[in-house]
Amino acid sequence: MHNVSSFFKGPTNFVLSAVYEKYYPNVAFPEIAFIGRSNVGKSSLINSLFNKKIALISNTPGKTKQVNFFNHSDKLMVVDLPGYGFAKISKKEAKNISDFVSHYLSSRKNLKKLFLLIDNSLGAKSIDLDTLKSMGHMREKIIIVFTKKDKKIKEISEKNNLIKSNYENYVVSSKNNEGIFDLQKIIFGLL
Ligand SMILES: Nc1nc2c(ncn2[C@@H]2O[C@H](COP(=O)(O)OP(=O)(O)O)[C@@H](O)[C@H]2O)c(=O)[nH]1
Ligand SMILES: [Mg+2]
């Protein structure tokens, strides 16, 4: 599996941030996207997978509410999507974000997999299930990633079982890298 590790050590460059489809990069590479509630560990996971601080840009104000595109080694597009369940934004803004994210998800032809992150220590929330429900049309593209496996479980959610029995899922830690290689193998397999 030497190929997998060396692939992820390759360069990952920020391409652009955009809200509307007409501004999205027009490339044919396979694309993967990441989504989840804010603070779920999305930036940390992207950084662990790609061995570098590529997600820093996605944490800069303004960019967190756009679709951020990265080009990995001219072979893979990596997309950091705005989170959901923000506490600090208006209903109107939340609706606007969810509308363009839905549009991205349903229109992007080269999108191969959507990684939806759930904090393992807090368990799945209603908003995670609602989001998954709204993505019924693309269910086979969805991979659930339970994050922060190293942390003690604080809240046991019955919703976890529902998710685990219906979706391909992994439990990982960006802190000690547990499970990261499994995800890298899946991503490598999309090329
Ligand atoms: N213990 C632990 N903390 C994590 C892990 N991943 C992320 N965090 C922490 O969770 C917080 C949010 O992480 P971040 O990656 O910025 O989340 P994002 O808002 O989804 O991009 C930060 O304090 C991280 O250090 C993990 O695997 N284990
Ligand atoms: Mg982030």
Side-chain angles (χ1 to χ4, degrees), residues 42-43 55 58-59 64 80:
K42 190 158 53 89
S43 298
S58 325
N59 282 349
T64 53
D80 188 1

Side-chain angles (χ1 to χ4, degrees), residues 59-77:
N59 282 349
T60 55
K63 307 278 190 203
T64 53
K65 291 170 193 168
Q66 298 186 48
V67 182
N68 296 304
F69 292 88
F70 299 84
N71 174 333
H72 182 74
S73 301
D74 274 345
K75 295 222 161 43
L76 177 74
M77 292 300 282

Side-chain angles (χ1 to χ4, degrees), residues 37-62:
R37 295 170 70 213
S38 66
N39 226 37
V40 71
K42 190 158 53 89
S43 298
S44 305
L45 177 67
I46 296 173
N47 288 336
S48 290
L49 289 169
F50 293 91
N51 298 289
K52 49 187 99 67
K53 296 231 180 312
I54 72 164
L56 262 186
I57 185 109
S58 325
N59 282 349
T60 55

Side-chain angles (χ1 to χ4, degrees), residues 23-24 41 58 76 84 89 115:
Y23 300 115
Y24 295 166
S58 325
L76 177 74
Y84 52 85
I89 60 174
F115 293 89

Side-chain angles (χ1 to χ4, degrees), residues 1-26:
M1 278 277 130
H2 168 73
N3 285 343
V4 177
S5 302
S6 52
F7 174 74
F8 285 90
K9 287 191 183 107
T12 315
N13 294 304
F14 173 69
V15 180
L16 58 81
S17 302
V19 169
Y20 301 110
E21 187 181 356
K22 63 178 175 177
Y23 300 115
Y24 295 166
N26 186 7

Side-chain angles (χ1 to χ4, degrees), residues 73-93:
S73 301
D74 274 345
K75 295 222 161 43
L76 177 74
M77 292 300 282
V78 180
V79 170
D80 188 1
L81 292 167
Y84 52 85
F86 287 108
K88 287 180 190 134
I89 60 174
S90 66
K91 277 219 169 88
K92 193 177 164 202
E93 191 176 10

